[in-house]
Amino acid sequence: MKKEELMREAIRLSEENVRNGGGPFGAVIARNGEIIARGTNRVTSDCDPTAHAEVNAIRNAAKVLGTFDLGGCEIFSSCEPCPMCLGAIYWAHLDKLYYGNDKQDAASIGFDDAFIYKELDLKPEDRALKTERMMPEEAIAAFRQWMAKEDKIKY
């Protein structure tokens, strides 16, 4: 499939999801022009605040391909990803992101992520989310174990 066809599929999914009671977001993951996985926003239907279209597409693609590394694949999203989804796209090692609507379009219909971007620039103690670091001297043990582990799978 051509890039335009893949983007049209992401857009079609977003429109279909609205008709079915979900949020206006769809995503497609493709490799060499072939669709590997699809995802739609399932936040309210699944009672899962992480069930965004891009995350669901990544989860589905990882299952289909049997790997957490989606290098060699591209993602087509009906909208510019939120900070969580953008992070997931980086962690999945997708080669390229294409999107339709941008974050200003999303903000204009009530999906405004600007506050999260602003919060990320603040020190943890200055964020709106009350944050307190606890027991770092104990928590570091798992990190030391990880560093010493010879057969770890890096990701």
Side-chain angles (χ1 to χ4, degrees):
M1 297 177 89
K2 293 181 180 180
K3 289 188 294 188
E4 293 80 9
E5 293 172 293
L6 295 164
M7 180 56 77
R8 281 191 186 97
E9 177 61 8
I11 293 167
R12 184 195 70 74
L13 288 168
S14 70
E15 293 173 345
E16 179 180 76
N17 206 49
V18 170
R19 288 191 297 276
N20 292 329
F25 305 99
V28 170
I29 293 180
R31 183 170 59 186
N32 299 322
E34 178 186 335
I35 294 176
I36 302 298
R38 294 170 173 83
T40 58
N41 182 286
R42 308 291 302 157
V43 169
T44 57
S45 60
D46 290 358
C47 296
D48 180 352
T50 69
H52 290 199
E54 298 89 344
V55 169
N56 284 333
I58 289 168
R59 289 173 179 159
N60 293 336
K63 284 180 191 170
V64 167
L65 296 175
T67 181
F68 58 84
D69 186 342
L70 301 180
C73 297
E74 299 176 326
I75 188 165
F76 295 79
S77 179
S78 64
C79 185
E80 183 176 3
C82 74
M84 175 185 70
C85 292
L86 187 60
I89 289 166
Y90 276 105
W91 284 117
H93 305 286
L94 289 157
D95 289 357
K96 191 163 184 179
L97 161 67
Y98 300 89
Y99 64 89
N101 296 311
D102 66 18
K103 58 187 172 185
Q104 288 79 21
D105 297 324
S108 74
I109 63 164
F111 295 93
D112 191 354
D113 300 320
F115 76 98
I116 296 174
Y117 288 107
K118 290 176 186 170
E119 288 281 297
L120 290 172
D121 284 336
L122 298 174
K123 292 185 222 169
E125 61 270 17
D126 294 333
R127 294 178 183 156
L129 176 65
K130 300 297 180 232
T131 305
E132 179 181 342
R133 187 172 184 195
M134 286 183 61
M135 303 169 62
E137 60 284 338
E138 291 182 36
I140 199 70
F143 281 15
R144 289 184 180 131
Q145 289 173 4
W146 175 258
M147 288 304 297
K149 185 174 174 67
E150 303 222 358
D151 62 342
K152 63 184 163 240
I153 299 172
K154 294 185 179 183
Y155 58 94

